[in-house]
Amino acid sequence: MTPDLLGFTIAHRAMRGDTRRMAVLATDLAAGRQTADAARAAAISEDVALLCASIHHHHTMEDEMLWPVIERSAGAEVDLRDLSDDHSELDPLLEEITAQAARFAATRDASALAPALTRLADMLDEHIEEEERLIFPIITEYVSVADWETVENAVRKGGNIKFDLPRIERYARPDELARLRRMAGPVLTVMLALLRGGYRRRQRLVFGQAA
């Protein structure tokens, strides 16, 4: 057996997709193509902060859990320095965006938030594509299933289930969602049902009826 990378694949897709959607929204707000009342501005600000926290948690777990497992398993076959450097660049940007989102909630001025989110979206696209190209084959070849499950469990335990879990249905393809349901059992179906309504209401408030 080899590690199943589906969970990480969907997490990466969700990070990229949500960041790009938020960057487009902020750009529209900055240009006056959309407007936000106080409630919408507060919801956008909170969602940006949650997204930044989720991204930070994911790459922190890679640094602290996954990279040591890969180095122990693959040794000289892998060089993680460039990916770790990317994580170091992301942290101050995530902090900047979180602060700008709070300012947006107070001022409804997205002129600084929009380019920062666009920069983050571009960075994530490049970083994740490189990470999956370089690291996924290494994980599949060298990392044991037991070690991989330890990494995935650590990622799940430290995450925000109310924010992270409902995004699975948005970003997983139907065949992938079916696989996840088989792997997780009925608990996944129950949790998704419990969280789906709140997530969809929040999406409509943040992104509009098209969400």
Side-chain angles (χ1 to χ4, degrees):
M1 290 181 63
T2 59
D4 190 330
L5 304 180
L6 179 59
F8 257 56
T9 299
I10 296 171
H12 284 171
R13 195 183 299 153
M15 283 189 286
R16 293 177 65 179
D18 277 358
T19 304
R20 185 63 67 185
R21 290 175 74 217
M22 197 64 78
V24 170
L25 172 60
T27 300
D28 283 348
L29 289 164
R33 290 187 291 271
Q34 293 196 48
T35 59
D37 61 13
R40 188 185 187 196
I44 291 169
S45 175
E46 184 178 356
D47 262 29
V48 170
L50 288 169
L51 176 61
C52 287
S54 179
I55 294 168
H56 173 74
H57 169 68
H58 183 89
H59 79 235
T60 298
M61 288 295 96
E62 289 181 337
D63 287 336
E64 295 180 357
M65 296 291 298
L66 180 55
W67 286 183
V69 165
I70 291 174
E71 289 172 340
R72 185 173 67 247
S73 303
E77 295 296 323
V78 64
D79 184 350
L80 301 170
R81 285 174 295 183
D82 287 345
L83 295 175
S84 294
D85 288 345
D86 286 350
H87 289 174
S88 297
E89 290 183 29
L90 280 171
D91 276 336
L93 181 57
L94 293 170
E95 291 176 5
E96 176 190 345
I97 290 171
T98 301
Q100 288 172 351
R103 285 194 289 273
F104 170 72
T107 66
R108 300 184 213 171
D109 179 2
S111 58
L113 181 61
L117 278 167
T118 300
R119 181 182 170 211
L120 177 62
D122 291 342
M123 287 178 65
L124 286 176
D125 283 347
E126 182 178 353
H127 172 76
I128 289 174
E129 286 174 9
E130 185 76 354
E131 182 178 307
E132 292 184 353
R133 183 181 68 83
L134 292 175
I135 300 303
F136 276 18
I138 296 290
I139 294 170
T140 301
E141 183 170 356
Y142 292 101
V143 174
S144 70
V145 172
D147 281 346
W148 180 249
E149 289 177 350
T150 298
V151 172
E152 287 203 307
N153 287 336
V155 173
R156 282 193 292 267
K157 286 178 182 177
N160 182 341
I161 191 170
K162 289 183 179 180
F163 180 74
D164 294 327
L165 191 59
R167 295 154 73 215
I168 288 176
E169 284 188 308
R170 182 175 194 92
Y171 289 101
R173 298 191 300 265
D175 62 305
E176 293 172 335
L177 187 57
R179 279 177 59 195
L180 289 173
R181 290 182 189 277
R182 288 195 297 270
M183 291 162 57
V187 66
L188 177 60
T189 299
V190 172
M191 291 301 296
L192 287 173
L194 289 172
L195 297 173
R196 183 182 297 121
Y199 173 76
R200 290 179 176 173
R201 286 191 296 273
R202 188 76 173 188
Q203 289 285 289
R204 286 193 294 271
L205 177 58
V206 170
F207 293 101
Q209 293 300 320

